[in-house]
Amino acid sequence: MPSLKALVRAHTELGVEDVDWLTLLLADWQIIADLSFADLVLWLPAVDGSGYWAGAQMRPTTGPTALVDDVVGSFQPAGGRPLLDVALREGRIAREGDPEWRDDVPVRVEAIPVRRGDRIIAVVARNTNLQGVRTPSRLELSYLQTASELSRMIAGGTFPFLGERSDHADTPRVGDGFIRVDEGGLVTYASPNALSVYRKLGLAGDLSGQSLVGVTRELVPPAMRPDEETISAVLGGRMPRDTELGNGQATLILRAIPLRPEGPRTGGLVLLRDVTDLRRRDRELVTKDATIREIHHRVKNNLQTVAALLRLQARRIGVPEGRVALEEAERRVGAIAVVHETLSQAFDETVDFDEVTDRLTRLVTEVGTQGAPIRTRRTGSFGAISSDAATPLAMVFTELVQNAVEHAFDPDTAGEIEIDCQRVGDGLVLCVQDDGVGMPDDFDLERSASLGLSIVQTLVGELGGTIALEARADGPGTRARVSIPDVAQRR
Ligand SMILES: Nc1ncnc2c1ncn2[C@@H]1O[C@H](COP(=O)(O)OP(=O)(O)OP(=O)(O)O)[C@@H](O)[C@H]1O
Ligand SMILES: [Mg+2]
């Protein structure tokens, strides 16, 4: 389907500001389609006067459609629809007495000129399927009257409102709740849905004849409503604005459209929607997130306490082997704490893992180096890692870097550890390589009984990945290569 902009550019002489105006109109014309129970089509006059191009279309959500097929992009020659010509030429709303018959459906057509300043830039055709029309109820009469007022505003150039757009998803629709107020802000009609929303808010009586601002002020405590200016602008139907307010029982969003069919304001349309459940769910999500972060924070604190205990015990123990073992345990616990600390600051369920590994690298190289300095370098990026893959991956990473620090270098030669990480879709390939002495000749990963690499193997296995330890091809040293098929999804 061609876009409005493309159609305008190809067939019309409308300028950028005209398109902006039409875009504003389209942002709000669902309201008019719903109020008039009619299909709307925006017809763009062709530059050569040969006819009209259909630039956009809107179906009503309140009644049956009159246009079964999409018409956007189609062409209507001048003279084929005299109403369009009249609206464009004379700048007034053109109506037909008798319905048109389309596919056995009686359709009443009305052509509304779209005025911007002193020009008519397009025509909106309002097509009502008369098959669904019965003797109208009060609700339908109020809808139709408001639709006709808005149509007159389109023809008069006072609708849409400049700078006002209602493109957020929460915006109320006609069917959610509809209130008409007069120029003094008194309710002249409230739809049953609108009344239900106010009942939920605590209203006992009726809305008709009441001041909407006054009623709302009584029901909503000052802390839960916008400032006085906004409340009287929106609820008085005086300004094209929206707002949100509520009390312990209900939350609603309101949107006002001032009505000025002949120029001076005659009142306003206020649409409202009950968003109580929506807002409660938002709040629950926020608390759930906050709770998860708090738990990570506490786990981190607990792990740091454990690490501190191990450090204390290591200092006290006389046997060197025992001390080394406790210090290593302390380091391992510390590595897990780093992951939880990062998760306690994360706002979603993934971790920016570059930050984690950079901290772990510093942690390991600072503690583990006694002799000549060890340089570290990271290339590539880990990207976002799901929170449940993060802890095992951090452990694997720490053990590999720790091994390079511990075993690869002579105490008095400087060495370099290179960390490279490549993401392949959801998967990840991590290489940790050093330029040190290389693995012992008789080393066999499968048969190695030492703890570090056992941890690595177990965790890589749990992540569904593989690990290889090999001599570097491009010089001395060892290269550990870990490949994991999926670190992005939750398990
Ligand atoms: N980058 C490396 N360069 C040289 N040798 C290594 C390297 N990585 C591992 N090794 C050898 O592999 C052995 C097994 O490593 P592993 O991490 O399993 O145990 P460890 O480091 O000795 O003890 P720990 O349980 O404290 O990690 C090491 O003792 C070391 O000989
Ligand atoms: Mg080790």
Side-chain angles (χ1 to χ4, degrees):
M1 213 161 57
S3 73
L4 177 68
K5 276 206 180 92
L7 286 165
V8 163
R9 217 176 306 124
H11 305 295
T12 76
E13 55 181 356
L14 298 180
V16 181
E17 288 177 10
D18 296 326
V19 174
D20 288 347
W21 186 262
L22 293 176
T23 309
L24 276 175
L25 174 67
L26 300 189
D28 277 339
W29 73 340
Q30 174 84 62
I31 295 174
I32 299 168
D34 287 349
L35 287 174
S36 46
F37 312 98
D39 290 72
L40 305 180
V41 178
L42 179 72
W43 290 103
L44 306 164
V47 59
D48 55 4
S50 60
Y52 307 87
W53 292 88
Q57 173 177 4
M58 178 57 78
R59 291 197 162 85
T61 60
T62 47
T65 184
L67 300 171
V68 183
D69 296 319
D70 283 345
V71 297
V72 175
S74 68
F75 180 71
Q76 180 72 49
R81 289 276 195 82
L83 288 182
L84 296 181
D85 302 329
V86 173
L88 184 68
R89 198 176 51 234
E90 299 177 17
R92 65 175 175 89
I93 298 178
R95 244 181 233 111
E96 212 163 54
D98 295 326
E100 271 179 33
W101 287 82
R102 287 191 209 147
D103 306 326
D104 293 334
V105 176
V107 175
R108 184 169 37 236
V109 188
E110 198 176 287
I112 305 155
V114 180
R115 179 184 298 277
R116 187 182 149 251
D118 50 13
R119 289 161 49 238
I120 304 300
I121 57 174
V123 178
V124 171
R126 194 163 91 164
N127 306 273
T128 313
N129 179 343
L130 292 178
Q131 225 162 30
V133 173
R134 303 159 279 135
T135 316
S137 63
R138 263 207 82 196
L139 172 107
E140 285 161 334
L141 284 174
S142 295
Y143 276 19
L144 289 170
Q145 191 203 334
T146 311
S148 121
E149 283 164 306
L150 286 169
S151 305
R152 276 183 277 159
M153 289 168 67
I154 294 175
T158 52
F159 188 86
F161 301 102
L162 268 183
E164 286 297 324
R165 296 221 33 191
S166 58
D167 42 10
H168 32 109
D170 290 348
T171 194
R173 292 206 172 179
V174 170
D176 295 326
F178 165 96
I179 294 177
R180 280 288 312 249
V181 294
D182 65 14
E183 67 265 51
L186 300 182
V187 176
T188 56
Y189 178 76
S191 73
N193 281 352
L195 201 55
S196 303
V197 177
Y198 263 84
R199 287 269 142 76
K200 198 165 167 188
L201 213 53
L203 177 76
D206 201 359
L207 273 175
S208 282
Q210 306 255 40
S211 149
L212 193 60
V213 181
V215 168
T216 310
R217 239 192 238 127
E218 267 169 39
L219 295 171
V220 179
M224 294 179 77
R225 64 186 193 221
D227 56 282
E228 284 305 311
E229 194 207 316
T230 307
I231 203 169
S232 69
V234 174
L235 294 158
R238 289 195 290 106
M239 302 270 268
R241 276 163 74 172
D242 36 33
T243 190
E244 182 165 335
L245 48 80
N247 57 21
Q249 291 116 57
T251 309
L252 47 149
I253 37 184
L254 297 126
R255 165 143 200 253
I257 297 173
L259 297 169
R260 48 179 82 248
E262 314 302 339
R265 197 172 63 84
T266 56
L269 160 65
V270 180
L271 299 178
L272 61 158
R273 176 171 169 206
D274 175 6
V275 290
T276 315
D277 292 340
L278 221 70
R279 291 295 175 265
R280 186 180 305 131
R281 233 169 301 144
D282 287 353
R283 269 197 305 276
E284 277 168 8
L285 277 179
V286 169
T287 19
K288 183 172 156 253
D289 276 3
T291 311
I292 292 173
R293 283 203 297 278
E294 176 61 20
I295 290 172
H296 281 300
H297 182 73
R298 291 186 184 191
V299 171
K300 180 216 78 176
N301 284 351
N302 289 348
L303 288 172
Q304 283 179 341
T305 310
V306 173
L309 284 174
L310 290 168
R311 188 161 53 242
L312 280 176
Q313 286 205 283
R315 272 199 214 127
R316 263 157 217 232
I317 206 160
V319 191
E321 263 178 28
R323 188 167 62 234
V324 169
L326 286 176
E327 281 170 358
E328 275 182 5
E330 181 209 329
R331 170 180 56 72
R332 286 179 174 131
V333 171
I336 304 174
V338 168
V339 176
H340 283 283
E341 178 165 18
T342 315
L343 280 169
S344 74
Q345 289 149 6
F347 280 86
D348 49 27
E349 300 204 346
T350 60
V351 189
D352 175 9
F353 212 66
D354 290 340
E355 198 189 307
V356 174
T357 51
D358 290 350
R359 284 184 59 185
L360 290 175
T361 308
R362 252 176 284 131
L363 199 83
V364 171
T365 49
E366 274 163 18
V367 179
T369 352
Q370 281 101 13
I374 294 174
R375 278 170 292 127
T376 55
R377 192 152 64 93
R378 172 166 65 81
T379 54
S381 171
F382 288 85
I385 305 272
S386 85
S387 58
D388 36 7
T391 303
L393 193 61
M395 294 289 289
V396 168
F397 178 83
T398 314
E399 291 304 326
L400 294 175
V401 176
Q402 178 75 25
N403 273 357
V405 168
E406 219 168 52
H407 306 297
F409 308 114
D410 291 331
D412 41 280
T413 52
E416 184 175 59
I417 302 173
E418 286 173 56
I419 294 146
D420 176 62
C421 190
Q422 300 300 330
R423 285 295 288 265
V424 191
D426 286 342
L428 163 153
V429 177
L430 161 68
C431 285
V432 177
Q433 60 181 14
D434 58 63
D435 52 1
V437 298
M439 298 293 287
D441 290 338
D442 57 349
F443 182 80
D444 180 354
L445 184 59
E446 297 300 310
R447 268 179 288 152
S448 159
S450 52
L451 185 57
L453 288 175
S454 304
I455 293 177
V456 170
Q457 275 182 291
T458 310
L459 294 179
V460 168
E462 272 175 19
L463 290 167
T466 55
I467 164 129
L469 278 172
E470 60 210 15
R472 271 174 78 160
D474 57 345
T478 308
R479 188 168 88 131
R481 186 173 187 278
V482 176
S483 157
I484 293 167
D486 188 350
V487 290
Q489 312 295 317
R490 284 190 63 83
R491 264 145 254 278

